[in-house]
Amino acid sequence: MTHAMLKGSNVPLEATAVRAVLRWTPGPDVPEVDASALLLDVDRRVRSDEDFVFYNQPRHPSGLVRSLGKKRLPDGVTDSVQTDLAALEPAVDRILIVASTDDVPFERVRDLRIEVYDATAAGSGEALAYFEVRPETGAETALICGELYRRGEGWKFRALGEGYSNGLIGLATDHGISVDETQGTDGTDGTTGADGTDGTEEAGAGSATQASGSAAPQASPAEPTQPMQPAYGYPQPATPAAPAYGFPQSASTQPAYGYPQPAAAAAFAPDPNFRLPPQGPQFVRAQ
């Protein structure tokens, strides 16, 4: 029998593996919806960025949680995530099933619902449960549709419908995901969401910021160099600088051991345009 669920209600799951399906009705002004999953511990935090399964990281390293991708059907569009509950390690306490858009509010998504199926049953079968997901404000760009969670030796599914107006980024950072803060969800520089970053994803494939290829500045022979402070205990060139404490200095031009000299250091000066590559999942779709 299929359970029609209300927000906050739960049902026990006897299936050892389940398929969570997001379903909605497409239209000219209806955005694409993406399904993703977060594997959380008892503190409701991810253990690492690998515990985030989404479009740029569609498979958990364990292989036990994975995206099945979108399907266009006569009565709507679906995006699904499948989970092998029986084989998950005990450290995974619950799995959030999330719907998100590319910065388009869910008030424009029609007929969104989540359906839970027994993934071990032959054929598509009948849904174990379904929940009509309705955003609370309509401004949300990410929704936790439901969660699979441990109860004793078994698992349950709870209908949630909790939303984030700052999208997948806000939801991910709330649960411990490291998100890059240099790319917008549309791939342009800028920040969006609560912590500002690209839409995150990202846990995942994304476009990393490239270091500048400009040549390092070279020291001019005509430019005078500044006298160096003498290194303790080593012969120094004859300069106006004060001698190293307690040792007479020679007129040797041999540089202090292990320290680059001004002209040489300038050749290896850091490129001022260099930027570190982004960290964490990238919420920019791979081209």
Side-chain angles (χ1 to χ4, degrees):
M1 181 181 71
T2 300
H3 294 268
M5 302 184 67
L6 299 176
K7 184 173 182 176
S9 63
N10 64 77
V11 294
L13 299 172
E14 297 181 0
T16 58
V18 297
R19 183 172 65 258
V21 179
L22 298 182
R23 185 185 300 271
W24 67 97
T25 302
D29 298 322
V30 178
E32 284 292 311
V33 176
D34 296 300
S36 55
L38 285 88
L39 288 70
L40 308 181
D41 59 18
V42 292
D43 296 322
R44 303 199 177 194
R45 306 277 288 180
V46 297
R47 297 163 298 170
S48 75
D49 291 349
E50 292 179 335
D51 283 345
F52 190 17
V53 175
F54 70 118
Y55 48 77
N56 277 344
Q57 190 168 271
R59 186 181 182 90
H60 189 263
S62 68
L64 301 177
V65 181
R66 60 189 183 277
S67 170
L68 301 181
K70 289 185 172 67
K71 291 184 178 179
R72 298 191 177 274
L73 306 172
D75 59 343
V77 183
T78 66
D79 197 7
S80 308
V81 175
Q82 184 161 314
T83 304
D84 188 342
L85 298 175
L88 279 171
E89 56 186 302
V92 178
D93 183 67
R94 66 191 60 226
I95 300 172
L96 304 184
I97 307 299
V98 176
S100 64
T101 66
D102 286 337
D103 292 332
V104 180
F106 267 94
E107 65 182 358
R108 289 170 52 181
V109 178
R110 297 161 48 192
D111 309 320
L112 179 65
R113 65 190 282 175
I114 181 171
E115 302 167 348
V116 180
Y117 293 85
D118 182 349
T120 64
S124 58
E126 184 181 53
L128 303 175
Y130 73 90
F131 170 51
E132 302 286 352
V133 186
R134 294 183 176 87
E136 293 182 345
T137 69
E140 298 90 341
T141 51
L143 289 168
I144 304 175
C145 298
E147 65 176 357
L148 304 163
Y149 65 100
R150 292 185 187 272
R151 181 61 70 220
E153 297 299 318
W155 288 81
K156 286 187 172 184
F157 172 74
R158 177 182 287 123
L160 290 177
E162 297 176 357
Y164 284 75
S165 60
N166 52 358
L168 208 54
I169 297 160
L171 185 150
T173 53
D174 252 12
H175 294 89
I177 296 290
S178 301
V179 179
D180 168 47
E181 299 186 3
T182 63
Q183 292 286 329
T185 55
D186 58 355
T188 60
D189 290 339
T191 58
T192 60
D195 63 343
T197 175
D198 66 338
T200 350
E201 312 194 284
E202 60 312 305
S207 57
T209 305
Q210 300 297 318
S212 169
S214 59
Q218 302 295 321
S220 169
E223 295 176 359
T225 59
Q226 296 296 320
M228 291 184 58
Q229 291 297 320
Y232 181 80
Y234 288 88
Q236 306 301 313
T239 66
Y245 179 77
F247 288 87
Q249 305 302 307
S250 69
S252 168
T253 58
Q254 182 68 25
Y257 178 76
Y259 291 88
Q261 302 309 299
F268 297 96
D271 186 342
N273 296 317
F274 176 76
R275 297 173 67 191
L276 288 171
Q279 305 296 312
Q282 304 301 297
F283 300 106
V284 178
R285 294 183 181 279
Q287 298 299 320

